[in-house]
Amino acid sequence: DIQMTQSPSTLSASVGDRVTITCRASQSISSWLAWYQQKPGKAPKLLIYKASILESGVTSRFSGSGSGTEFTLTISSLQPDDLATYYCQQYDSYLYTFGQGTKLQIK
Amino acid sequence: QVQLVESGGGLVKPGGSLRLSCAASGFTFSDYYINWIRQAPGKGLEWVSYISGSGNSIFYAASVRGRFTISRDNAKNSLYLQMNSLRAEDTAVYYCARDSHSGYHYYDFWGQGTLVTVSS
């Protein structure tokens, strides 16, 4: 199975900051990576797929990049509404595994 | 609009059974793979199972294989998860989630989840 490792596990930042979350795959997954946002008590929401394509309706403050084994999710200017846990997920090959999550806190 | 609504969760004793349902609306249900994905309290996301639109392709995570059975009724726009021989480690919120519109195995719509608690 492909292992997905996110860093950091917890991140504290201020409103207006540029925030970056990293996701590493244990083997190459090309660009078959999605990012989700999960707010407390809610279901996950798709943000980005194929590593860098923004899902319809998602604010352009979110962007994704990377290929192969290393990927990043960037929030260009952090807003209070971004308080959430963020997960990456590979869909290159079965088993379609998630990272362990990055909990984003607002200072 | 696309909606997925889970039901059937609750408290069950170890070794017991439970059947979850997911009612879909707002899209052509039979055109999509649908998944069950779970989240233990305070933990991350774990994919559990998927079923193709026709029901002919089914996969399970190793942790539930042989105990859980996924099925669907396209006439009723409904997905099911029959869970047998439940264990404490199956305690989680169970989400149904639709495979992407492009056919790849990422998830573009999720239900609100239903909580399953396995405890004596």
Side-chain angles (χ1 to χ4, degrees):
Chain A
D1 299 345
I2 299 175
Q3 307 303 315
M4 306 301 292
T5 304
Q6 291 180 231
S7 60
S9 295
T10 306
L11 176 58
S12 184
S14 300
V15 171
D17 282 355
R18 182 180 181 88
V19 170
T20 298
I21 298 168
T22 298
C23 177
R24 290 185 174 87
S26 60
Q27 65 189 68
S28 178
I29 57 170
S30 185
S31 295
W32 305 119
L33 185 97
W35 288 98
Y36 302 87
Q37 176 193 62
Q38 186 178 34
K39 295 183 177 180
K42 300 294 186 182
K45 172 189 173 183
L46 177 66
L47 297 176
I48 285 169
Y49 60 96
K50 206 174 181 186
S52 63
I53 301 175
L54 201 65
E55 173 70 347
S56 175
V58 174
T59 173
S60 58
R61 292 187 296 102
F62 290 95
S63 63
S65 65
S67 66
T69 62
E70 188 151 336
F71 302 86
T72 58
L73 172 71
T74 299
I75 308 173
S76 60
S77 177
L78 190 66
Q79 299 301 305
D81 188 53
D82 301 333
L83 169 73
T85 299
Y86 294 84
Y87 293 93
C88 61
Q89 178 235 336
Q90 67 83 16
Y91 54 99
D92 175 73
S93 58
Y94 171 85
L95 182 63
Y96 309 112
T97 40
F98 292 89
Q100 82 279 14
T102 294
K103 186 173 184 179
L104 179 54
Q105 299 171 326
I106 311 294
K107 282 183 185 173
Chain B
Q1 71 280 23
V2 172
Q3 276 201 306
L4 297 166
V5 180
E6 301 93 337
S7 61
L11 175 63
V12 61
K13 290 182 167 53
S17 298
L18 210 55
R19 189 194 196 207
L20 305 183
S21 300
C22 171
S25 60
F27 64 102
T28 304
F29 184 66
S30 58
D31 283 352
Y32 288 84
Y33 280 63
I34 309 290
N35 303 259
W36 287 104
I37 296 166
R38 68 184 180 183
Q39 186 171 36
K43 302 297 184 183
L45 300 165
E46 180 190 15
W47 174 84
V48 172
S49 180
Y50 77 53
I51 185 168
S52 63
S54 65
N56 290 338
S57 179
I58 289 174
F59 274 87
Y60 298 98
S63 56
V64 307
R65 195 174 299 133
R67 300 186 298 122
F68 290 10
T69 302
I70 192 171
S71 62
R72 65 192 295 160
D73 184 337
N74 287 342
K76 294 183 177 179
N77 288 348
S78 293
L79 173 76
Y80 306 102
L81 186 68
Q82 178 66 43
M83 304 186 295
N84 298 330
S85 303
L86 282 160
R87 306 167 180 167
E89 55 264 37
D90 296 318
T91 294
V93 174
Y94 284 73
Y95 296 101
C96 60
R98 192 186 81 167
D99 259 22
S100 71
H101 50 83
S102 58
Y104 290 98
H105 296 298
Y106 62 92
Y107 318 114
D108 59 1
F109 284 95
W110 299 61
Q112 85 289 350
T114 187
L115 176 62
V116 172
T117 304
V118 184
S119 175
S120 55

